[in-house]
Amino acid sequence: MKRLRKIAERTIEFIFSLSGATTSVITLLITLFLFSEGWSLFKAPAVEEGYALYVHTQNRVSALSIKQTKQIFDGEVTNWKELGGEGGEIQIFRVDDIFALHSEEELGSNYELLPQKLAEYIANTPNVLAFLPKKYMLEGGSLFYEVSTGSIHPKDFFLATEWMPTATPAPLYGALPLVLGTLLVSFVAILLALPLGLGVAIYLSELAHERTRKILKPAIELLAGIPSVVYGFWGLVVLVPWIQRLFNLPVGETAFTGSIILAIMALPTIISVAQDALSNTPISVREASLALGATSWQTIYKVVVPYAKSGLSAAVVLGIGRAVGETMAVLMVTGNAAVMPSSLFESVRTIPATIVAELGEVPMGSTHYQALFLLGCILFVFTLIISVSAEFISKRQHRTSL
């Protein structure tokens, strides 16, 4: 009987060990896959994949940055002299423009003459900047050459301020508006949720009657089980029009609206963790404070709250984690505009909302696909910092209680 019990214990121990090892390996592989896919963006060409920019051989401009390319195609730069060339108005040419110059018969039934016609046009247009598919360009053309645009640089992702993944010829993957939008909405949400959450936690732990506590605590914890899309729908139908009327705004989908929704969603986490921290304060500490003549309220804010400050900090950190990673509710009420946030009452876009909105329609392996994975890496780092902070604070609380 003892032998069978030992075998059973060892079997269970082996299963638990195997489960832990498997989970750790899977987590590591997922993390490596996430970062490998995201970091591949910096090996991708700056110009749309399969395309290139071509100029006449007499043109001295042999390289263009992503910013310069955008300025040219946006009409902000119109002369080659502004780019270090000899001068002359830049003539932008796309592959579709060739069909306005030649009939289908001149291009061939299977467009076999298209490369020759494209080469002829570039050769006869010294100031041209042609954005063309590489597969239609003649090899080793002596009258034109490919402009060097390099690959996407980390500063073009982390420090750029425009997120336009469908822009041509050079997609723009500036993640700074998304990062700042995420931080803004999450920070304001915590500012709104923190006083209310700590106040409710203090009330439930120190002031509420036992019967009231038994009713309110399950009701508050029930809020955590409501799907985020329900919060988003409620915010879209009720909160957005109310914010629009209250502040006389053109639209109600703003960063402030998203912050309110996130604050409501973070409240159950903050209240539960904070109440547990306050409840763990020893009775002897409370009694000692009261015995010295302190009132109940003085005992709460001068003894109980300072004693539980590590647990309260953990509640705040976990609340931030809840806010940073939220997706659907924020996507529905913030306006989903990838612009640099300048006000709480303007539309913004967050990192999770961007990933959800765009990943389903992105070709696998494209630069857009890699950019979204790199956004996931940023979100992963945010979440990791929050988790490590919560773990550190919890351990500090445990040492303090000992």
Side-chain angles (χ1 to χ4, degrees), residues 183-194:
L183 295 178
L184 174 64
V185 173
S186 302
F187 179 72
V188 176
I190 291 301
L191 289 183
L192 296 174
L194 183 57

Side-chain angles (χ1 to χ4, degrees), residues 67-313:
K67 182 179 179 180
Q68 290 172 330
T69 303
K70 178 181 181 299
Q71 289 175 335
I72 292 172
F73 281 81
D74 284 351
E76 298 175 9
V77 174
T78 59
N79 197 293
W80 285 112
K81 192 173 183 179
E82 300 177 61
L83 302 172
E86 295 182 352
E89 184 178 353
I90 300 174
Q91 299 181 24
I92 298 175
F93 183 78
R94 302 174 187 267
V95 68
D96 293 340
D97 297 334
I98 199 68
F99 295 98
L101 302 175
H102 299 279
S103 64
E104 293 187 4
E105 290 78 10
E106 292 176 318
L107 297 176
S109 57
N110 295 318
Y111 300 115
E112 63 271 9
L113 299 179
L114 179 58
Q116 178 183 344
K117 297 298 182 182
L118 292 174
E120 290 176 358
Y121 180 85
I122 298 175
N124 295 327
T125 315
N127 292 323
V128 70
L129 177 63
F131 173 56
L132 303 172
K134 291 183 177 181
K135 64 180 181 179
Y136 291 136
M137 300 308 296
L138 295 174
E139 294 291 338
S142 59
L143 297 177
F144 62 89
Y145 65 90
E146 180 181 339
V147 177
S148 174
T149 54
S151 57
I152 299 175
H153 195 271
K155 70 177 182 180
D156 298 324
F157 181 83
F158 293 108
L159 300 180
T161 59
E162 293 181 284
W163 178 266
M164 299 174 63
T166 58
T168 56
L172 303 176
Y173 300 112
L176 191 58
L178 309 180
V179 174
L180 294 181
T182 302
L183 295 178
L184 174 64
V185 173
S186 302
F187 179 72
V188 176
I190 291 301
L191 289 183
L192 296 174
L194 183 57
L196 182 59
L198 294 182
V200 174
I202 291 172
Y203 171 75
L204 290 177
S205 176
E206 306 296 324
L207 303 174
H209 191 273
E210 184 65 25
R211 181 180 298 177
T212 305
R213 188 183 299 114
K214 288 182 178 180
I215 296 174
L216 289 181
K217 188 172 182 179
I220 292 171
E221 292 176 349
L222 184 64
L223 294 175
I226 299 177
S228 60
V229 69
V230 175
Y231 282 106
F233 182 74
W234 174 82
L236 190 62
V237 173
V238 178
L239 194 58
V240 166
W242 182 75
I243 293 292
Q244 183 178 4
R245 290 193 302 269
L246 180 64
F247 296 100
N248 193 25
L249 302 173
V251 293
E253 291 91 348
T254 63
F256 184 65
T257 311
S259 298
I260 294 176
I261 291 292
L262 285 184
I264 296 173
M265 298 179 69
L267 275 175
T269 301
I270 295 176
I271 293 172
S272 297
V273 178
Q275 186 194 354
D276 291 339
L278 293 169
S279 299
N280 287 334
T281 303
I283 298 295
S284 58
V285 175
R286 292 182 173 88
E287 292 177 346
S289 175
L290 295 172
L292 290 174
T295 63
S296 297
W297 179 242
Q298 288 173 332
T299 300
I300 291 173
Y301 77 85
K302 288 189 175 181
V303 177
V304 177
V305 171
Y307 185 90
K309 61 181 180 181
S310 295
L312 299 179
S313 301

